[in-house]
Every structure is written in C-alpha cells, then in structure tokens.
Amino acid sequence: MPKFFIKTYGCQMNERDSEQVAHSLVALGYERVGHESEADVVLLNTCSVRDMADQKGLGKMGMLGRLAKERPHVVFGFLGCMAQARGVSLLKDLPHVDLVVGTQKFHRVADYVDEIVARKKSLISENAQRSTSNVQRPMQKQMDDLRFSVVDVEEEAGSQSTIRDQQLTPRQATAFVSIMQGCNMHCTFCIVPQTRGAERSRSIDEIVAEVRDLVSRGVKEVTLLGQIVNLYGRHEFPKLDNKSPFVQLLESVHEVEGLERLRFTSPHPIGFRDDLVDAISRLPKLAEHVHLPLQSGSNKILKAMHRAYTAEKYLDLIQRIRRARNGVAITTDIIVGFPGETDDDYRQTRDLAEEIQFDNAFVFRYSPRRDTPASEMPDQIDEHVKEERNQDLLDVVNKSNGRILERLVGSQVEVLCEGPSKTNHARLMGRTRTNKIVVFPPSRKRRPTGESEELVGELVNVRIERANGFSLYGLPEV
C-alpha cells in the first residue's frame, strides 16, 4: 500500500487534525513515514495566523515541485487553514498540487487521497501500455494527464464531531482531544473566524467516550482543545447549577477512572468566570497550569483588538486564579507592534508582564492578515520597531521564567515521562504538572521482584538538580 507523510504547521489544533487524517489513512491500509522522500502521498497541514506560517507552507510546497517531476505518481496536498483561506488559488503557481482541503473536511482527506492515488496509478499504467505498443505521446502530455486536482473548502454541518480518532504510539502518555471548532470573537487581528468558521461544539458524552478510550489505551493526560476552549457549548448546551457547559465538561472528564492529569487550551479572559476559577480550586486532576492570552497591556490597544477586557480585569483574574490553586503556572500570548501601538502602549504591556511574572509567554510581532480589520488600520508600525519591542519583551519573559525555574532547584517534582529528549536521545523528558520540561537519565525503578520497569509513559518523581534555559534537569527518585 502507498506510504504517506504529513507535515504540520501551527497550533495544537492543527496537530490534532493531522492525527485524525493519519488515523483515516492508516485505516485504509496506508503506512506513515517520517520523510517526504519516502512517501507516495505528501500532505502539508497549514496555518494562516501569521504571514510567516503562510510563507513556510508555500515555500515547502514549492520545493516539493522537484520531487513531483522526479516521481509523478506522488500525490501532493494542502490541508487546513491556508487551504481554507486561499482555496483554488493555491493551484495557480503550484501545478503539482493535487488536493486542497479546508478545515471542515479533514475526515474526507483519506477518501480523496485514495481516489487520486488510484487515478494516477491507472493513468501511469495506460501510459506504460502505450509505450509498449509503440504509441508514443509527448512527455509533457503524459505529465499533464497526471495533473488534476480536488478542492474542497466548503462548510459541513457536524464537522466538529469528526475529529475523534487517534493513532497512538507505544506507551504514549499524553493526547489532545478536540472539543469544538470555530470562533465567534472576531478579534481585529485574527483570521481564524474565516478559516475555522463559527463556534460548534461536540457533546459531553462524545468527548468523555473519547477520553475513556484513550485512557484504556494507556494515556494518562489529556488536553482539551478549542479555539476559545472555555466558551465550549455556550450556544448548544444550558448552564446547570450555575455552571457553564465547559465546567460541566471538566467535571465529567475528571471522573474518568485512570486519568491522571487534565489540561485545556486556550481560554479567553472574558469567558473565565467564577465557576471556572472554582473548578481549578476543587478538581485535583486539573493540572496547575493556565495558558491565558493577554495580547496587550494597553487598554487602548485591547479595545482596538476587540478583546473586550481591560488590563486591570486581566490582572484581577490572574490574582484570583493564583488564589484558587497554590503554585499555578501562568503562561500567555502577547502581540507587539499592533497598529497604533505607541511607546507608552508598549511600556504598559512591558510593565504588566513585569508585575505578573509569567512562567512563559509566546511573544509575536503583529502580522497583517488579509481581510482582517487591523490590516486596514492607520499607523501601522515599522518592522524594526516591532523587532525591538519583541526582543525587549522576550528578555523580560525569559528572566521571569529563569527565576521561576531556579526556585525549583532542589525540589522534588512529579513528571509524566513522554519519551526520549528531542535534543539528547540518551535522556528522557517529561513535563511537570505546571508544564515545565524536565530532562533526566533513563534509570530504572525497581519492582519488588527485582525486575526493571520502563519509565516512558509513567509518572516519575524527579529531584531537580539544575535549571538551564527553558528546561529543568534532575534524577529520578528510586
């Protein structure tokens, strides 16, 4: 059977969508490989949040044009957000592309791929027969015969419930679970409502069943995914006992026997109500980590972004979360260089970051996206100013992160071992409940029988010996 390769750009939701596509292809008998040069099907799952992500996807597919000439039977496809935003226009400069599938059609990719693979195989066979019959056809004509495309970027009702199957690797300890699709917030800088559509949520029963299945297969930690995850179900399901549908979902997943840790990402401050803060205080499986996008510390810029909260309300929310759970880690997203951001606006962001002392932050230079209100706003910021602010704020965040990591040296932390370290395969890595990366040697725990026990996929107590950059290093407790 054919082999396939998927490269994913962008967020964790994109990673989860790719896993659904992989599961569907494996179910048809396809084999997953680790490099495009080995594959008969090459798929790029794209992102459109920033221009750099667009350019990476386009650049990669452009380079694959050479492979298309060398191996005309190979199927090439764009999936995801950029495919949704650009549609058929992607074929204009990339004639070797066979497939363009949007964000509501991931469940149809495998069937489309199978159809294209079969058609290419048939045409190659026909050309071979003509060649043996001395019926010569120009090579360009033979190549043109193999160039046909499927483009599907239409909306589809119920698509939120199609991202539900996963291929797990041996001893896989963590998994993402998609609970909803789409976004209704319309932040002025963001293209997601155009690429992901309106909010649509799965039922609690569906989600719990998926989590239960994952746990039965060895998963110990799940992360619930949504574009604005804490607004889950607000249009479909009622509040019960003054609890939002999202809190009801957290409680239901929390009850799954065998689940050790529960996470969610990414919430929005306006949906982070008292019932969710209370859930953090009373649900022990909820990990002590909240990723809560700030975007700006200037109320003027927040209003221009259509974020619907103030810096003061954000700070108050952070303080309430920290009171609810001792030692909770707070990470965030911040955009610098938004149109109209003055030096004073940036200083307010910097000062708020200093006051909050984030455990970490993703800092982005504002990137204009086509058909978003911010791209048409006056007072666009020069790139060199964006870069200066980006580097300055990263310095603030990195110092804060470094201080927090240093305070953990000498302590014992619970780590869920995920597998070999990406930078040193002789070591293992995992994450603490506060989402800190810990690297440690692959020493064995001893069972009473004297047999060794694998650490991968297990919860391990690690004594932290040093902090370096963004990681902790230690030794497993015997």
Side-chain angles (χ1 to χ4, degrees), residues 23 50 66 78 85 128 138 215 254 268 284 287 299 329 439 452:
H23 179 276
R50 302 173 68 223
R66 182 172 56 198
F78 275 122
V215 171
H254 190 275
H268 191 295
N299 289 338
V439 179
S452 64

Coordinates of all heavy atoms in Angstrom, one line a residue, residues 23 50 66 78 85 128 138 215 254 268 284 287 299 329 439 452:
H23 N -4.9 8.8 11.1 CA -5.7 7.6 11.5 C -6.6 7.1 10.3 O -6.7 5.9 10.1 CB -6.6 8.0 12.7 CG -7.5 6.9 13.2 ND1 -8.7 6.6 12.6 CD2 -7.4 6.0 14.2 CE1 -9.3 5.6 13.2 NE2 -8.5 5.2 14.1
R50 N -0.2 33.8 11.0 CA 0.8 34.8 10.7 C 1.3 34.6 9.3 O 1.3 33.5 8.7 CB 2.0 34.7 11.7 CG 1.5 34.9 13.1 CD 2.7 34.7 14.1 NE 3.7 35.7 14.0 CZ 5.0 35.4 14.0 NH1 5.4 34.2 14.1 NH2 5.9 36.4 13.9
R66 N 10.1 19.8 -7.3 CA 11.2 19.0 -7.9 C 10.9 17.5 -7.7 O 11.1 16.7 -8.6 CB 12.5 19.4 -7.3 CG 13.7 18.6 -7.8 CD 15.0 19.2 -7.3 NE 15.0 19.2 -5.8 CZ 15.8 19.9 -5.0 NH1 16.7 20.7 -5.6 NH2 15.8 19.8 -3.7
F78 N -2.5 20.3 0.1 CA -2.6 21.3 1.1 C -3.8 21.0 2.0 O -4.9 20.9 1.4 CB -2.7 22.7 0.5 CG -1.4 23.4 0.2 CD1 -1.2 23.8 -1.2 CD2 -0.5 23.7 1.1 CE1 -0.1 24.5 -1.5 CE2 0.7 24.3 0.7 CZ 0.9 24.7 -0.6
A85 N -8.4 29.4 3.5 CA -8.4 30.8 3.1 C -8.1 31.1 1.6 O -8.7 32.0 1.0 CB -7.3 31.5 4.0
A128 N 2.2 3.4 -19.8 CA 3.1 2.3 -19.9 C 2.7 1.4 -21.1 O 3.5 0.9 -21.9 CB 3.3 1.6 -18.6
P138 N 3.9 12.7 -26.3 CA 4.8 13.7 -25.8 C 4.9 13.6 -24.3 O 3.8 13.3 -23.6 CB 4.3 15.0 -26.2 CG 3.4 14.8 -27.4 CD 2.9 13.4 -27.2
V215 N -7.7 6.6 27.7 CA -7.1 6.1 29.0 C -7.0 4.6 29.0 O -6.0 4.0 29.5 CB -8.0 6.6 30.1 CG1 -7.6 6.0 31.4 CG2 -7.9 8.2 30.2
H254 N -13.1 14.7 34.4 CA -12.4 14.5 35.6 C -12.8 13.2 36.3 O -11.9 12.5 37.0 CB -12.7 15.6 36.6 CG -11.8 15.7 37.8 ND1 -12.2 15.0 39.0 CD2 -10.7 16.3 38.1 CE1 -11.2 15.2 39.9 NE2 -10.3 16.0 39.4
H268 N -10.2 32.3 26.9 CA -10.3 33.7 26.7 C -10.6 34.4 28.0 O -11.5 33.8 28.8 CB -11.3 34.0 25.6 CG -11.3 35.4 25.1 ND1 -11.6 36.5 25.9 CD2 -11.0 35.9 23.9 CE1 -11.5 37.6 25.2 NE2 -11.2 37.3 24.0
P284 N -8.8 18.1 41.5 CA -7.3 17.8 41.6 C -6.7 17.3 40.4 O -5.5 17.5 40.2 CB -7.3 16.8 42.7 CG -8.7 16.2 42.8 CD -9.6 17.3 42.4
A287 N -4.4 20.1 36.0 CA -3.0 20.5 36.2 C -2.9 21.9 36.6 O -3.7 22.8 36.2 CB -2.2 20.2 35.0
N299 N -5.0 49.3 27.5 CA -6.4 49.3 27.3 C -6.8 49.9 25.9 O -7.8 49.4 25.3 CB -7.2 50.0 28.4 CG -7.1 49.3 29.7 OD1 -6.9 48.1 29.8 ND2 -7.2 50.0 30.8
A329 N 1.0 27.7 37.4 CA 1.8 28.4 36.4 C 0.9 29.2 35.5 O -0.1 28.7 35.0 CB 2.7 27.4 35.7
V439 N 14.3 17.1 32.0 CA 15.2 16.1 31.3 C 15.9 15.3 32.4 O 16.5 15.9 33.4 CB 16.2 16.8 30.4 CG1 17.1 15.7 29.7 CG2 15.4 17.6 29.3
S452 N 13.1 -4.7 36.2 CA 13.1 -3.3 35.9 C 11.8 -2.9 35.3 O 11.1 -3.7 34.8 CB 14.2 -3.0 34.9 OG 14.0 -3.6 33.7

